[in-house]
Amino acid sequence: MTDSQLTTAYAVCRGIARREARNFYYSFLALPLVKRNALSAVYAFMRHADDISDDEKLPAAERRKRLDQWLTEWHQVEAGTPSNDPVFVALVDAQKRFAIPSELLNQLVRGTSMDLESPAKDEHRDTAPKQGGTAIAASAIRIHSTFADLYQYCYLVASVVGLVCIRIYGYQDRRAEQLAERCGVAFQLTNIIRDVKEDAAMGRVYFPEEDLARFGLTVDDFLQDSGARLEQSRLGLLLDFEAQRAREYYESAQDLIRLIDEDSRPALWVMVTIYRRLLDKIAQKHYEVLRGRVRLSATEKFGILGHGMIKSVFGTI
């Protein structure tokens, strides 16, 4: 592999991150180029796995098969087989530069495929409640009984991302790993709160049954007409409960920032601030997430990026 090929591969990955990573990419801009390249390669790898997993034109079994085939190809490249895939080319280099464990990359892919696994509960149901006249296959529904179950899901789909990121950020103190895990849970809880409507449309309900019961809700309340029949009062109480949980996990961020290499602290500060600001914005709108997706504008995110860079200059992060 030539330097030119590697430069092109990283440019492709940066392009994917710029186009798709609507929140993460702003934090990438606060990193030195070599670390920005590495995170872009990881993101592009994860994005491709997500795209396979989320391709609703294909049955779940076919998506699982394609993910397995793609992961096998990656393992071959990881072992030294030449590849023309720019994402694989870039990721192999990033993995070597930053000693990213192969198992973490495997877990990234496993996390993207969790929604394709057969549900642990309600296996007797042939179909889920109908949405717009179309029944959702029961295999599309993954139900978490307890928060411990949801935490494990969050670990695989988000905390593992954090564990990869801190390898690139750089750290010496092993406490950073537990803190990164907790930050990942905070990010994913924020995503779950924001995406209630979109997830329901795909037959996905992530809130634990024990939490639903606390507020007089059931899984079917979400699946009927993509959650259109949910009472906002009860939904708001549930989402506020989960938001308080997320805020507790976000408290780990400040300690984590102090443990990573100085040149990476602005990036993590920007990422955490964007997600916390998003959660705050959802709360300010009284958790009315069924009316439309709540997001930060590009202006708001650039403002956070600029603030993070200024704080870095003055050593206040």
Side-chain angles (χ1 to χ4, degrees), residues 70-96:
W70 180 73
L71 189 58
T72 297
E73 290 175 17
W74 158 246
H75 287 155
Q76 291 170 347
V77 174
E78 192 180 26
T81 301
S83 174
N84 292 321
D85 185 323
V87 175
F88 286 169
V89 168
L91 187 61
V92 163
D93 183 72
Q95 185 184 30
K96 291 176 181 176

PDB file of all heavy atoms in Angstrom, residues 70-96:
ATOM      1  N   TRP A  70     -19.310  -9.589   5.489  1.00  0.00           N
ATOM      2  CA  TRP A  70     -18.502  -8.365   5.501  1.00  0.00           C
ATOM      3  C   TRP A  70     -17.481  -8.408   6.622  1.00  0.00           C
ATOM      4  O   TRP A  70     -16.321  -8.014   6.441  1.00  0.00           O
ATOM      5  CB  TRP A  70     -19.441  -7.165   5.648  1.00  0.00           C
ATOM      6  CG  TRP A  70     -18.749  -5.846   5.667  1.00  0.00           C
ATOM      7  CD1 TRP A  70     -18.169  -5.187   4.621  1.00  0.00           C
ATOM      8  CD2 TRP A  70     -18.564  -5.008   6.816  1.00  0.00           C
ATOM      9  NE1 TRP A  70     -17.641  -3.986   5.047  1.00  0.00           N
ATOM     10  CE2 TRP A  70     -17.872  -3.852   6.381  1.00  0.00           C
ATOM     11  CE3 TRP A  70     -18.930  -5.112   8.153  1.00  0.00           C
ATOM     12  CZ2 TRP A  70     -17.534  -2.818   7.247  1.00  0.00           C
ATOM     13  CZ3 TRP A  70     -18.591  -4.083   9.018  1.00  0.00           C
ATOM     14  CH2 TRP A  70     -17.902  -2.960   8.559  1.00  0.00           C
ATOM     15  N   LEU A  71     -17.866  -8.926   7.791  1.00  0.00           N
ATOM     16  CA  LEU A  71     -16.931  -9.025   8.905  1.00  0.00           C
ATOM     17  C   LEU A  71     -15.832 -10.037   8.596  1.00  0.00           C
ATOM     18  O   LEU A  71     -14.664  -9.831   8.951  1.00  0.00           O
ATOM     19  CB  LEU A  71     -17.672  -9.427  10.183  1.00  0.00           C
ATOM     20  CG  LEU A  71     -16.871  -9.367  11.488  1.00  0.00           C
ATOM     21  CD1 LEU A  71     -16.326  -7.967  11.731  1.00  0.00           C
ATOM     22  CD2 LEU A  71     -17.723  -9.809  12.669  1.00  0.00           C
ATOM     23  N   THR A  72     -16.178 -11.106   7.899  1.00  0.00           N
ATOM     24  CA  THR A  72     -15.165 -12.080   7.480  1.00  0.00           C
ATOM     25  C   THR A  72     -14.143 -11.428   6.546  1.00  0.00           C
ATOM     26  O   THR A  72     -12.925 -11.642   6.678  1.00  0.00           O
ATOM     27  CB  THR A  72     -15.825 -13.277   6.770  1.00  0.00           C
ATOM     28  OG1 THR A  72     -16.681 -13.955   7.695  1.00  0.00           O
ATOM     29  CG2 THR A  72     -14.778 -14.252   6.258  1.00  0.00           C
ATOM     30  N   GLU A  73     -14.627 -10.600   5.614  1.00  0.00           N
ATOM     31  CA  GLU A  73     -13.718  -9.881   4.714  1.00  0.00           C
ATOM     32  C   GLU A  73     -12.789  -8.969   5.511  1.00  0.00           C
ATOM     33  O   GLU A  73     -11.581  -8.882   5.221  1.00  0.00           O
ATOM     34  CB  GLU A  73     -14.531  -9.043   3.717  1.00  0.00           C
ATOM     35  CG  GLU A  73     -15.290  -9.863   2.694  1.00  0.00           C
ATOM     36  CD  GLU A  73     -16.168  -8.988   1.814  1.00  0.00           C
ATOM     37  OE1 GLU A  73     -15.936  -7.762   1.778  1.00  0.00           O
ATOM     38  OE2 GLU A  73     -17.085  -9.525   1.166  1.00  0.00           O
ATOM     39  N   TRP A  74     -13.348  -8.293   6.527  1.00  0.00           N
ATOM     40  CA  TRP A  74     -12.515  -7.418   7.349  1.00  0.00           C
ATOM     41  C   TRP A  74     -11.439  -8.217   8.073  1.00  0.00           C
ATOM     42  O   TRP A  74     -10.268  -7.799   8.107  1.00  0.00           O
ATOM     43  CB  TRP A  74     -13.365  -6.649   8.361  1.00  0.00           C
ATOM     44  CG  TRP A  74     -12.562  -6.157   9.532  1.00  0.00           C
ATOM     45  CD1 TRP A  74     -12.660  -6.543  10.830  1.00  0.00           C
ATOM     46  CD2 TRP A  74     -11.479  -5.216   9.500  1.00  0.00           C
ATOM     47  NE1 TRP A  74     -11.728  -5.906  11.613  1.00  0.00           N
ATOM     48  CE2 TRP A  74     -10.991  -5.081  10.817  1.00  0.00           C
ATOM     49  CE3 TRP A  74     -10.880  -4.477   8.482  1.00  0.00           C
ATOM     50  CZ2 TRP A  74      -9.935  -4.228  11.138  1.00  0.00           C
ATOM     51  CZ3 TRP A  74      -9.814  -3.632   8.802  1.00  0.00           C
ATOM     52  CH2 TRP A  74      -9.366  -3.512  10.122  1.00  0.00           C
ATOM     53  N   HIS A  75     -11.788  -9.361   8.634  1.00  0.00           N
ATOM     54  CA  HIS A  75     -10.800 -10.178   9.337  1.00  0.00           C
ATOM     55  C   HIS A  75      -9.680 -10.617   8.400  1.00  0.00           C
ATOM     56  O   HIS A  75      -8.518 -10.706   8.811  1.00  0.00           O
ATOM     57  CB  HIS A  75     -11.479 -11.397   9.965  1.00  0.00           C
ATOM     58  CG  HIS A  75     -12.312 -11.060  11.170  1.00  0.00           C
ATOM     59  ND1 HIS A  75     -13.369 -11.829  11.592  1.00  0.00           N
ATOM     60  CD2 HIS A  75     -12.241 -10.027  12.035  1.00  0.00           C
ATOM     61  CE1 HIS A  75     -13.901 -11.289  12.676  1.00  0.00           C
ATOM     62  NE2 HIS A  75     -13.242 -10.194  12.954  1.00  0.00           N
ATOM     63  N   GLN A  76     -10.018 -10.886   7.152  1.00  0.00           N
ATOM     64  CA  GLN A  76      -8.991 -11.275   6.185  1.00  0.00           C
ATOM     65  C   GLN A  76      -8.035 -10.113   5.917  1.00  0.00           C
ATOM     66  O   GLN A  76      -6.815 -10.294   5.858  1.00  0.00           O
ATOM     67  CB  GLN A  76      -9.662 -11.738   4.883  1.00  0.00           C
ATOM     68  CG  GLN A  76     -10.417 -13.048   5.017  1.00  0.00           C
ATOM     69  CD  GLN A  76     -11.269 -13.366   3.805  1.00  0.00           C
ATOM     70  OE1 GLN A  76     -11.498 -12.518   2.941  1.00  0.00           O
ATOM     71  NE2 GLN A  76     -11.762 -14.606   3.725  1.00  0.00           N
ATOM     72  N   VAL A  77      -8.601  -8.913   5.767  1.00  0.00           N
ATOM     73  CA  VAL A  77      -7.761  -7.731   5.545  1.00  0.00           C
ATOM     74  C   VAL A  77      -6.919  -7.454   6.783  1.00  0.00           C
ATOM     75  O   VAL A  77      -5.723  -7.135   6.690  1.00  0.00           O
ATOM     76  CB  VAL A  77      -8.647  -6.517   5.190  1.00  0.00           C
ATOM     77  CG1 VAL A  77      -7.796  -5.247   5.099  1.00  0.00           C
ATOM     78  CG2 VAL A  77      -9.382  -6.764   3.880  1.00  0.00           C
ATOM     79  N   GLU A  78      -7.530  -7.590   7.954  1.00  0.00           N
ATOM     80  CA  GLU A  78      -6.830  -7.379   9.211  1.00  0.00           C
ATOM     81  C   GLU A  78      -5.639  -8.328   9.331  1.00  0.00           C
ATOM     82  O   GLU A  78      -4.595  -7.963   9.897  1.00  0.00           O
ATOM     83  CB  GLU A  78      -7.815  -7.609  10.357  1.00  0.00           C
ATOM     84  CG  GLU A  78      -7.361  -7.180  11.720  1.00  0.00           C
ATOM     85  CD  GLU A  78      -8.432  -7.456  12.759  1.00  0.00           C
ATOM     86  OE1 GLU A  78      -9.261  -8.374  12.568  1.00  0.00           O
ATOM     87  OE2 GLU A  78      -8.443  -6.762  13.782  1.00  0.00           O
ATOM     88  N   ALA A  79      -5.790  -9.524   8.760  1.00  0.00           N
ATOM     89  CA  ALA A  79      -4.719 -10.532   8.835  1.00  0.00           C
ATOM     90  C   ALA A  79      -3.656 -10.338   7.771  1.00  0.00           C
ATOM     91  O   ALA A  79      -2.645 -11.068   7.755  1.00  0.00           O
ATOM     92  CB  ALA A  79      -5.324 -11.929   8.724  1.00  0.00           C
ATOM     93  N   GLY A  80      -3.874  -9.380   6.849  1.00  0.00           N
ATOM     94  CA  GLY A  80      -2.837  -9.092   5.865  1.00  0.00           C
ATOM     95  C   GLY A  80      -3.241  -9.227   4.418  1.00  0.00           C
ATOM     96  O   GLY A  80      -2.434  -8.949   3.519  1.00  0.00           O
ATOM     97  N   THR A  81      -4.478  -9.654   4.133  1.00  0.00           N
ATOM     98  CA  THR A  81      -4.935  -9.770   2.754  1.00  0.00           C
ATOM     99  C   THR A  81      -5.109  -8.378   2.143  1.00  0.00           C
ATOM    100  O   THR A  81      -5.767  -7.525   2.749  1.00  0.00           O
ATOM    101  CB  THR A  81      -6.285 -10.517   2.685  1.00  0.00           C
ATOM    102  OG1 THR A  81      -6.124 -11.808   3.251  1.00  0.00           O
ATOM    103  CG2 THR A  81      -6.767 -10.645   1.246  1.00  0.00           C
ATOM    104  N   PRO A  82      -4.519  -8.109   0.980  1.00  0.00           N
ATOM    105  CA  PRO A  82      -4.668  -6.784   0.358  1.00  0.00           C
ATOM    106  C   PRO A  82      -6.132  -6.475   0.053  1.00  0.00           C
ATOM    107  O   PRO A  82      -6.930  -7.378  -0.208  1.00  0.00           O
ATOM    108  CB  PRO A  82      -3.853  -6.913  -0.936  1.00  0.00           C
ATOM    109  CG  PRO A  82      -2.902  -8.039  -0.678  1.00  0.00           C
ATOM    110  CD  PRO A  82      -3.639  -8.997   0.201  1.00  0.00           C
ATOM    111  N   SER A  83      -6.480  -5.200   0.087  1.00  0.00           N
ATOM    112  CA  SER A  83      -7.861  -4.795  -0.168  1.00  0.00           C
ATOM    113  C   SER A  83      -7.887  -3.484  -0.929  1.00  0.00           C
ATOM    114  O   SER A  83      -7.008  -2.631  -0.762  1.00  0.00           O
ATOM    115  CB  SER A  83      -8.612  -4.632   1.155  1.00  0.00           C
ATOM    116  OG  SER A  83      -9.913  -4.100   0.953  1.00  0.00           O
ATOM    117  N   ASN A  84      -8.928  -3.325  -1.769  1.00  0.00           N
ATOM    118  CA  ASN A  84      -9.164  -2.066  -2.449  1.00  0.00           C
ATOM    119  C   ASN A  84     -10.249  -1.245  -1.758  1.00  0.00           C
ATOM    120  O   ASN A  84     -10.588  -0.155  -2.229  1.00  0.00           O
ATOM    121  CB  ASN A  84      -9.579  -2.322  -3.908  1.00  0.00           C
ATOM    122  CG  ASN A  84      -8.440  -2.896  -4.735  1.00  0.00           C
ATOM    123  OD1 ASN A  84      -7.295  -2.492  -4.580  1.00  0.00           O
ATOM    124  ND2 ASN A  84      -8.765  -3.843  -5.610  1.00  0.00           N
ATOM    125  N   ASP A  85     -10.789  -1.774  -0.665  1.00  0.00           N
ATOM    126  CA  ASP A  85     -11.835  -1.069   0.075  1.00  0.00           C
ATOM    127  C   ASP A  85     -11.176   0.046   0.885  1.00  0.00           C
ATOM    128  O   ASP A  85     -10.387  -0.225   1.794  1.00  0.00           O
ATOM    129  CB  ASP A  85     -12.556  -2.049   1.002  1.00  0.00           C
ATOM    130  CG  ASP A  85     -13.742  -1.416   1.726  1.00  0.00           C
ATOM    131  OD1 ASP A  85     -13.656  -0.239   2.114  1.00  0.00           O
ATOM    132  OD2 ASP A  85     -14.758  -2.113   1.920  1.00  0.00           O
ATOM    133  N   PRO A  86     -11.462   1.319   0.589  1.00  0.00           N
ATOM    134  CA  PRO A  86     -10.772   2.419   1.283  1.00  0.00           C
ATOM    135  C   PRO A  86     -11.023   2.421   2.788  1.00  0.00           C
ATOM    136  O   PRO A  86     -10.141   2.834   3.559  1.00  0.00           O
ATOM    137  CB  PRO A  86     -11.331   3.675   0.619  1.00  0.00           C
ATOM    138  CG  PRO A  86     -12.609   3.251  -0.019  1.00  0.00           C
ATOM    139  CD  PRO A  86     -12.418   1.822  -0.417  1.00  0.00           C
ATOM    140  N   VAL A  87     -12.201   1.968   3.225  1.00  0.00           N
ATOM    141  CA  VAL A  87     -12.487   1.932   4.662  1.00  0.00           C
ATOM    142  C   VAL A  87     -11.594   0.906   5.339  1.00  0.00           C
ATOM    143  O   VAL A  87     -10.998   1.172   6.395  1.00  0.00           O
ATOM    144  CB  VAL A  87     -13.976   1.619   4.921  1.00  0.00           C
ATOM    145  CG1 VAL A  87     -14.242   1.457   6.423  1.00  0.00           C
ATOM    146  CG2 VAL A  87     -14.861   2.724   4.354  1.00  0.00           C
ATOM    147  N   PHE A  88     -11.451  -0.269   4.745  1.00  0.00           N
ATOM    148  CA  PHE A  88     -10.582  -1.292   5.315  1.00  0.00           C
ATOM    149  C   PHE A  88      -9.122  -0.835   5.296  1.00  0.00           C
ATOM    150  O   PHE A  88      -8.377  -1.060   6.260  1.00  0.00           O
ATOM    151  CB  PHE A  88     -10.719  -2.604   4.539  1.00  0.00           C
ATOM    152  CG  PHE A  88     -11.998  -3.358   4.804  1.00  0.00           C
ATOM    153  CD1 PHE A  88     -12.355  -4.436   4.010  1.00  0.00           C
ATOM    154  CD2 PHE A  88     -12.835  -3.007   5.852  1.00  0.00           C
ATOM    155  CE1 PHE A  88     -13.517  -5.146   4.252  1.00  0.00           C
ATOM    156  CE2 PHE A  88     -14.002  -3.710   6.100  1.00  0.00           C
ATOM    157  CZ  PHE A  88     -14.347  -4.791   5.293  1.00  0.00           C
ATOM    158  N   VAL A  89      -8.718  -0.214   4.205  1.00  0.00           N
ATOM    159  CA  VAL A  89      -7.328   0.252   4.087  1.00  0.00           C
ATOM    160  C   VAL A  89      -7.015   1.256   5.202  1.00  0.00           C
ATOM    161  O   VAL A  89      -5.986   1.167   5.882  1.00  0.00           O
ATOM    162  CB  VAL A  89      -7.088   0.897   2.704  1.00  0.00           C
ATOM    163  CG1 VAL A  89      -5.745   1.637   2.677  1.00  0.00           C
ATOM    164  CG2 VAL A  89      -7.120  -0.168   1.609  1.00  0.00           C
ATOM    165  N   ALA A  90      -7.911   2.213   5.397  1.00  0.00           N
ATOM    166  CA  ALA A  90      -7.690   3.231   6.429  1.00  0.00           C
ATOM    167  C   ALA A  90      -7.749   2.628   7.822  1.00  0.00           C
ATOM    168  O   ALA A  90      -6.940   2.966   8.699  1.00  0.00           O
ATOM    169  CB  ALA A  90      -8.726   4.345   6.279  1.00  0.00           C
ATOM    170  N   LEU A  91      -8.703   1.730   8.048  1.00  0.00           N
ATOM    171  CA  LEU A  91      -8.882   1.178   9.393  1.00  0.00           C
ATOM    172  C   LEU A  91      -7.705   0.303   9.805  1.00  0.00           C
ATOM    173  O   LEU A  91      -7.290   0.320  10.974  1.00  0.00           O
ATOM    174  CB  LEU A  91     -10.188   0.385   9.484  1.00  0.00           C
ATOM    175  CG  LEU A  91     -10.548  -0.103  10.891  1.00  0.00           C
ATOM    176  CD1 LEU A  91     -10.720   1.070  11.857  1.00  0.00           C
ATOM    177  CD2 LEU A  91     -11.816  -0.957  10.861  1.00  0.00           C
ATOM    178  N   VAL A  92      -7.148  -0.454   8.885  1.00  0.00           N
ATOM    179  CA  VAL A  92      -5.975  -1.263   9.209  1.00  0.00           C
ATOM    180  C   VAL A  92      -4.843  -0.368   9.704  1.00  0.00           C
ATOM    181  O   VAL A  92      -4.176  -0.673  10.695  1.00  0.00           O
ATOM    182  CB  VAL A  92      -5.517  -2.087   7.983  1.00  0.00           C
ATOM    183  CG1 VAL A  92      -4.092  -2.590   8.171  1.00  0.00           C
ATOM    184  CG2 VAL A  92      -6.437  -3.274   7.769  1.00  0.00           C
ATOM    185  N   ASP A  93      -4.641   0.746   9.015  1.00  0.00           N
ATOM    186  CA  ASP A  93      -3.579   1.677   9.424  1.00  0.00           C
ATOM    187  C   ASP A  93      -3.896   2.283  10.786  1.00  0.00           C
ATOM    188  O   ASP A  93      -3.021   2.357  11.662  1.00  0.00           O
ATOM    189  CB  ASP A  93      -3.435   2.779   8.375  1.00  0.00           C
ATOM    190  CG  ASP A  93      -2.307   3.738   8.716  1.00  0.00           C
ATOM    191  OD1 ASP A  93      -1.132   3.346   8.600  1.00  0.00           O
ATOM    192  OD2 ASP A  93      -2.619   4.879   9.134  1.00  0.00           O
ATOM    193  N   ALA A  94      -5.145   2.720  10.986  1.00  0.00           N
ATOM    194  CA  ALA A  94      -5.528   3.331  12.270  1.00  0.00           C
ATOM    195  C   ALA A  94      -5.406   2.323  13.406  1.00  0.00           C
ATOM    196  O   ALA A  94      -4.956   2.675  14.511  1.00  0.00           O
ATOM    197  CB  ALA A  94      -6.960   3.849  12.181  1.00  0.00           C
ATOM    198  N   GLN A  95      -5.779   1.095  13.149  1.00  0.00           N
ATOM    199  CA  GLN A  95      -5.704   0.051  14.182  1.00  0.00           C
ATOM    200  C   GLN A  95      -4.265  -0.153  14.636  1.00  0.00           C
ATOM    201  O   GLN A  95      -3.996  -0.287  15.842  1.00  0.00           O
ATOM    202  CB  GLN A  95      -6.286  -1.255  13.647  1.00  0.00           C
ATOM    203  CG  GLN A  95      -6.355  -2.366  14.681  1.00  0.00           C
ATOM    204  CD  GLN A  95      -6.849  -3.677  14.085  1.00  0.00           C
ATOM    205  OE1 GLN A  95      -6.634  -3.943  12.906  1.00  0.00           O
ATOM    206  NE2 GLN A  95      -7.513  -4.485  14.889  1.00  0.00           N
ATOM    207  N   LYS A  96      -3.340  -0.156  13.696  1.00  0.00           N
ATOM    208  CA  LYS A  96      -1.930  -0.340  14.038  1.00  0.00           C
ATOM    209  C   LYS A  96      -1.367   0.883  14.767  1.00  0.00           C
ATOM    210  O   LYS A  96      -0.632   0.754  15.743  1.00  0.00           O
ATOM    211  CB  LYS A  96      -1.124  -0.611  12.773  1.00  0.00           C
ATOM    212  CG  LYS A  96      -1.412  -1.968  12.135  1.00  0.00           C
ATOM    213  CD  LYS A  96      -0.657  -2.150  10.834  1.00  0.00           C
ATOM    214  CE  LYS A  96      -0.974  -3.494  10.197  1.00  0.00           C
ATOM    215  NZ  LYS A  96      -0.312  -3.651   8.866  1.00  0.00           N
TER     216      LYS A  96
END
